Amino acid sequence: MIKNDKNKTLAFDWFTSLRDQICASFEKLEDQLAGTTFAKDAPGRFVRTPWKRDDSGAPNISGSILNGGGEMSVMRGRVFEKVGVNISCVEGVFAPQFAEHMNGAKESGGKFWAAGISLVAHMQSPLVPAVHMNTRMVMTSKSWFGGGADLTPMTPDDQDTADFHSAFKSCCDAHDETYHPKFKAWCDEYFFLPHRGEPRGVGGIFYDYLDTGNWEKDFAFTQDVGRTFNEIYPALVARHMNKDWSAEQREHQLIRRGRYVEFNLLYDRGTQFGLKTGGNTEAILMSMPPVVKWP
Amino acid sequence: MIKNDKNKTLAFDWFTSLRDQICASFEKLEDQLAGTTFAKDAPGRFVRTPWKRDDSGAPNISGSILNGGGEMSVMRGRVFEKVGVNISCVEGVFAPQFAEHMNGAKESGGKFWAAGISLVAHMQSPLVPAVHMNTRMVMTSKSWFGGGADLTPMTPDDQDTADFHSAFKSCCDAHDETYHPKFKAWCDEYFFLPHRGEPRGVGGIFYDYLDTGNWEKDFAFTQDVGRTFNEIYPALVARHMNKDWSAEQREHQLIRRGRYVEFNLLYDRGTQFGLKTGGNTEAILMSMPPVVKWP
């Protein structure tokens, strides 16, 4: 099943490089903060924690076998209240009940390989949007890329929303003009809380099972999604991070974060699948906001 | 299907009466607070908010028909940081995909009736355990009672745990000596977070599908579960509520509350089923803690 080691190496090396680039951008923003009461604090720095499965090959609590490992990078800073950037590279055999729900995994006898980068940022300022970005390469009996990025402002700002969408539209259009309309709609559909009748944020792009038959082309697109994220999001942060906010705005932010928690635990496929198949709980739940209120 | 209106009325009247008794006990504790920095605040009082389905008989977003209503009672006090006591009485027709998962609902063509009381208390003091209690009567093609009560101390206290279990053991034993071992084990099994390898709290009792063939007997047991709760829990609150706590203990409490959120959104059947079948979101998510940290 795992037939092309060169591509696996290229993909994981890219996710690692992108992680380094993003961490550098975010630390630069920490250095550049000039306003707000947090300016007196020291700039935050990422702390990296590698993790590794025991590689014993024994099934875990879910009946699946999951080997490999990853690295969490977490920063608790003066701009980024809590941001996690995870990379991972795992392989194994899913128990039949999970393999059924995974593209091509029935045909591979449950065998899979997956590598990716996953990022969630919760900000000190309620004027700076929270954000999520993830890209991954997965192999079963099939091979594909998936991922996306979406913005969650506490109070939407038309210019930010337009600029975020415009950046990903340019990114998509450079590869295939059918991508942006499709991936933007998919994002809106995915990040929706039916029990609230609310979208989680203002969207972005979401794609999955991308396999045009040209691996190099799909990989190049996935790389560009990462690069685009690392240009547009730091620009939006810089735009707002020095502004003061009110206690009411902060309170509103803490309540809005509850919706983030609700979405991730009730609906997010990656979170549910990861936790139920014995993934790394600490890495998966790094997406939880540092402080949340349901008043 | 809904053949016995007398029983339905008796059950709902009891849940309403139990709600009144519990709210009175909890307000009394608010009055009795003598210690901690909160003693200078005014005692909390419950605020009641009735809600009602539109009764149009039209299917909701989930394809199910859900009529009826309920009443939320919420208190934000000086002992109880946030406590919700919900009663509800609903009936309708579940969409086939939900009816499948419900005892006897396939045979009733999805038709059901349910009434119950549900309570979650999150406390100001990290020395006072959080608690959950719920009892309900459900009818499909079958009719049964379910419910239970479980204690979630921030740091378990052996005496509290022993007293809580002892109260429910006496309650169970008065009805059937097989109940307590079975319902205590069921509680431990149910309130467990596999992704953390942790129980949610120290347990209590959990029972479902209770139908001995003697409705009066099962109803009497369910009433006693409510009465027992309203004796033992206020006693535990009174035992600890006047003690001062440290900032570290409070921080630990806010983090432990994250486990409560994780359990309720990832695993709790009632929460998942309620939200996915178009239940009252506000009432269902009243269980969410007022402030939570995932640092």
Side-chain angles (χ1 to χ4, degrees), chain A residues 76 82 195 281 290 292 294-295, chain B residues 76 82 195 281 290 292 294-295:
Chain A
R76 295 176 176 88
K82 179 182 170 190
H195 68 284
T281 295
V292 190
W294 282 272
Chain B
R76 295 176 178 86
K82 179 182 169 189
H195 68 285
T281 295
V292 190
W294 282 272

Side-chain angles (χ1 to χ4, degrees), chain B residues 129-145:
Chain B
V131 81
H132 161 252
M133 188 277 295
N134 160 250
T135 54
R136 58 192 174 270
M137 174 183 160
V138 185
M139 292 177 87
T140 54
S141 63
K142 303 181 178 179
S143 164
W144 71 92
F145 287 96

Side-chain angles (χ1 to χ4, degrees), chain A residues 144-165:
Chain A
W144 71 92
F145 287 96
D150 64 287
L151 196 70
T152 307
M154 303 305 123
T155 306
D157 171 299
D158 290 346
Q159 191 63 51
D160 288 355
T161 304
D163 292 349
F164 193 78
H165 287 308

Side-chain angles (χ1 to χ4, degrees), chain A residues 135 147-149 164-187 204-208 210 212 217-218 220-229:
Chain A
T135 53
F164 193 78
H165 287 308
S166 166
F168 283 102
K169 183 174 188 313
S170 300
C171 165
C172 288
D173 286 354
H175 291 268
D176 186 322
E177 295 214 335
T178 68
Y179 281 1
H180 192 254
K182 197 163 57 182
F183 297 163
K184 182 174 183 294
W186 201 344
C187 188
I205 61 166
F206 182 98
Y207 65 105
D208 209 352
L210 182 68
T212 62
K217 178 179 146 68
D218 299 340
F221 172 67
T222 290
Q223 288 181 297
D224 272 353
V225 169
R227 286 186 196 106
T228 299
F229 169 81

